[in-house]
Amino acid sequence: MNKTFVSADDVAKRAGVSRSAVSRTFTPGASVSEETRQRVMQAAEALGYHVNQLARGLMRSESGIVCLVVSEMDTPYRARLVRALTHELQLAGKISMLINTDRSDGSVDTALRQTLHYRADASILLSGLPDKAITKLCLDSGQRIVLINRDDEIEGPFRINLDDGVAARVAVSAFLRAGCRRLAFANSAVGTPSLMAREQGFVAAARDFGLDVTVVRHGNTVYESGRTIGRTLFSGLEPPDAVFCVNDLMAFGLMDAARHEFGRRIPDDLCVVGFDDIEQSGWSSYALTTFTQPVDEIVRNSIAWLVNGDASSRSAFLHAPLIWRKTIRGTRRNG
Amino acid sequence: MNKTFVSADDVAKRAGVSRSAVSRTFTPGASVSEETRQRVMQAAEALGYHVNQLARGLMRSESGIVCLVVSEMDTPYRARLVRALTHELQLAGKISMLINTDRSDGSVDTALRQTLHYRADASILLSGLPDKAITKLCLDSGQRIVLINRDDEIEGPFRINLDDGVAARVAVSAFLRAGCRRLAFANSAVGTPSLMAREQGFVAAARDFGLDVTVVRHGNTVYESGRTIGRTLFSGLEPPDAVFCVNDLMAFGLMDAARHEFGRRIPDDLCVVGFDDIEQSGWSSYALTTFTQPVDEIVRNSIAWLVNGDASSRSAFLHAPLIWRKTIRGTRRNG
DNA sequence: TTGTACGCGTTATCAG
DNA sequence: CTGATAACGCGTACAA
């Protein structure tokens, strides 16, 4: 063996047929006689031949590659989304390229440029937001772009968003039914549109009931920020009896601070609701009542739009139902 | 715009030079005059040209693609590893293809075949184990293979393993120093070599001190299995006062069962040690004493072997130090 | 330094 | 149904 890939030519020679016959054998829906097919397959097997997707992608207009643009992909929700996306993409005959935008040097635009280098058929953005010029460039190159939970303003990509406003109202009424009156909202300082929508929806819904909301924004959307906010909130003069955390990770941090550093009992002294419904929310140390991300629907919508040419619908608006566990006291009603 | 990629030919025409000049402009270390370079760059910018890596990979022997073969990639440790790998690979000028082997149809072999389709320069396997024939096929095709925490037997790939045996001995002596005498080991039923190495090392080390170990194996290596094992262990006649869990997730499940269902206090009534040191281990609800996966070293070793042609060393054996938190009582000593 | 010509491995086209 | 030939977009000897 001389450490090199075997080509269709090699197979053709060995099988005693033309290169075209080999190509046809490996092209679904082409017309080959059963006899040549057998001969080709046999030779291919013996030589260890594999279709070169690079060359195939060069000929056809599509490469079969879909790029996933993500930062902080070890975050539970992101990780779950990436897992589901890659799985369904494979089922649809696509392959995923993972582009990590963790470092800070204009990463998203650089990443999107990478997707052009590899002639990706599409890009799915789970993090960040591309420059408008880059987006147009991708679109003009025939690429499809999906934005998950990012923004509503940018034109061209397919946008998937959740009804954060509705969720916020559901949270307020759940708190009120539990008898809570001192409401707080724990947000990160990131300022992503969907994060801000939850905050504003919560504040607005509370105001409808004549209640003010203490809003605290701090750091990234992670556990440690929730903990810091918890300390701020519970060492203040009027500590809240209900907190809506912008995601589950922050909720855990806040709960840990409240319980272990301030002796709060949940849900007796304090009600908490989160967002994402990551795996840890089901763990009995937290048992967090939280809004669930409809991951399957998100994935289905994304891929349906990628593979079908349905360029008509340009956005999807999905519902995030409340999962009742044990961090809101009282009786459960539908969320 | 007619929804298509622009080629080097287009750029050449617009810049009034030959196509070779364009190629040279985008090939690092080629000789082009500053003037033509400028003209080419300008034309490329105006047209929105991007080098086609597929075609480039067709010419050169290497595609720049590295495949990551993973299952259950939303597991915290796996997710962290994937994040770190993609990040460093990008820094090394490579791009990651993510292959999800979650479904059960002979997945790993199918996955590895996919890596051949796209002429990947290398494959990194975080899950599963390939058939020997497939491995040989990849190797013969000039591909490099890295096995992370998988097996020691298979020949050809670069293997990265942890000193699970040493860790097991450290765990035993930590338990003994804390005054524990009724030892247990919580394992999954998966039976991966590294998982079994931890178990056997623990049992052997305990025997050296004249102690028996209650070994329980159940389900997958996840939270719920740990919980189930916890129930089994603490509803038994001789419940343990120390448990080594084969990974952190199982430790959390076991701790939650012990605390919330059996009223055990940790570390007063029960000492626990885990493995992986995932983010959740630092959360104050768990504060788990655990062995840390040297992720950075794993990544560095993998990539060093992939990009440099150092085919001499065929394995790395890394140390997993113990991180002391609050699930083992008594004084800390070096792990 | 520049342009020409060829090859990389595949598919599409067309004549047989 | 089959085989020859022309693309696809790029790198690279080679000659100019």
Side-chain angles (χ1 to χ4, degrees), chain B residues 9-320:
Chain B
D9 239 346
D10 302 333
V11 178
K13 279 205 191 71
R14 176 165 178 134
V17 296
S18 78
R19 208 186 47 68
S20 310
V22 178
S23 172
R24 277 191 278 264
T25 303
F26 288 96
T27 303
S31 64
V32 210
S33 73
E34 193 49 35
E35 193 198 326
T36 35
R37 157 177 236 91
Q38 289 291 340
R39 284 239 298 277
V40 169
M41 288 304 278
Q42 203 170 329
E45 193 66 32
L47 263 44
Y49 168 76
H50 291 273
V51 173
N52 187 335
Q53 293 286 1
L54 268 46
R56 177 176 275 182
L58 203 57
M59 269 301 301
R60 302 183 174 171
S61 54
E62 52 184 42
S63 60
I65 296 173
V66 174
C67 284
L68 268 39
V69 180
V70 202
S71 69
E72 297 166 28
M73 66 179 85
D74 52 351
T75 281
Y77 164 61
R78 297 255 172 85
R80 185 153 60 111
L81 198 46
V82 169
R83 176 184 181 177
L85 278 170
T86 56
H87 188 243
E88 293 305 312
L89 281 171
Q90 282 176 207
L91 257 43
K94 304 285 187 183
I95 191 125
S96 331
M97 271 193 166
L98 197 49
I99 300 190
N100 185 327
T101 56
D102 277 342
R103 48 179 190 162
S104 47
D105 54 356
S107 41
V108 177
D109 294 352
T110 315
L112 228 36
R113 231 177 276 271
Q114 274 281 8
T115 76
L116 290 176
H117 291 335
Y118 280 94
R119 297 303 192 257
D121 298 339
S123 299
I124 304 180
L125 277 69
L126 313 186
S127 316
L129 208 55
D131 187 88
K132 241 183 171 171
I134 306 279
T135 309
K136 190 176 178 337
L137 198 60
C138 289
L139 259 28
D140 285 340
S141 300
Q143 211 181 87
R144 280 161 178 274
I145 299 185
V146 176
L147 256 40
I148 297 184
N149 257 328
R150 304 320 295 169
D151 202 346
D152 330 271
E153 295 195 1
I154 202 159
E155 197 55 46
F158 183 68
R159 302 180 305 273
I160 299 184
N161 284 99
L162 302 184
D163 55 357
D164 297 295
V166 171
R169 277 196 293 278
V170 169
V172 166
S173 63
F175 283 152
L176 289 182
R177 257 183 283 120
C180 305
R181 287 298 174 270
R182 298 193 305 279
L183 271 39
F185 189 90
N187 203 347
S188 67
V190 174
T192 304
S194 62
L195 264 34
M196 294 312 286
R198 284 170 214 165
E199 176 186 314
Q200 286 152 12
F202 189 73
V203 171
R207 188 170 301 145
D208 288 347
F209 288 96
L211 290 178
D212 269 344
V213 174
T214 307
V215 174
V216 187
R217 301 194 196 113
H218 178 80
N220 281 316
T221 321
V222 296
Y223 173 89
E224 206 51 56
S225 305
R227 209 165 144 177
T228 305
I229 292 180
R231 285 175 186 144
T232 308
L233 245 27
F234 296 111
S235 55
L237 284 174
E238 274 213 349
D241 58 5
V243 185
F244 184 4
C245 299
V246 83
N247 83 341
D248 290 355
L249 288 175
M250 293 188 68
F252 300 149
L254 187 132
M255 287 172 72
D256 279 348
R259 279 174 171 160
H260 306 142
E261 300 177 29
F262 297 90
R264 289 291 192 292
R265 290 168 309 161
I266 300 173
D268 311 84
D269 307 328
L270 171 69
C271 290
V272 179
V273 66
F275 206 108
D276 280 354
D277 189 29
I278 61 182
E279 195 207 328
Q280 289 76 13
S281 303
W283 295 359
S284 61
S285 281
Y286 296 107
L288 178 66
T289 296
T290 185
F291 294 93
T292 191
Q293 289 266 6
V295 170
D296 292 343
E297 269 189 83
I298 293 175
V299 171
R300 201 180 322 123
N301 273 273
S302 305
I303 296 183
W305 190 76
L306 289 190
V307 298
N308 305 338
D310 185 13
S312 63
S313 79
R314 288 200 112 27
S315 71
F317 205 64
L318 305 178
H319 177 60

Side-chain angles (χ1 to χ4, degrees), chain A residues 8 19 23 49 52 56 59:
Chain A
R19 201 175 55 236
S23 172
Y49 168 75
N52 188 336
R56 175 177 275 181
M59 269 302 299

Side-chain angles (χ1 to χ4, degrees), chain A residues 11 22 79 95 105 145 163 187 225 303 334:
Chain A
V11 178
V22 178
I95 191 127
D105 53 356
I145 299 185
D163 54 356
N187 203 349
S225 305
I303 295 183
N334 271 343

Side-chain angles (χ1 to χ4, degrees), chain A residues 7 11 25 45 53 103-104 129 178 215 251 269 276 295 334:
Chain A
S7 75
V11 178
T25 303
E45 194 66 33
Q53 293 285 3
R103 49 181 190 160
S104 47
L129 208 56
V215 174
D269 306 330
D276 280 352
V295 170
N334 271 343

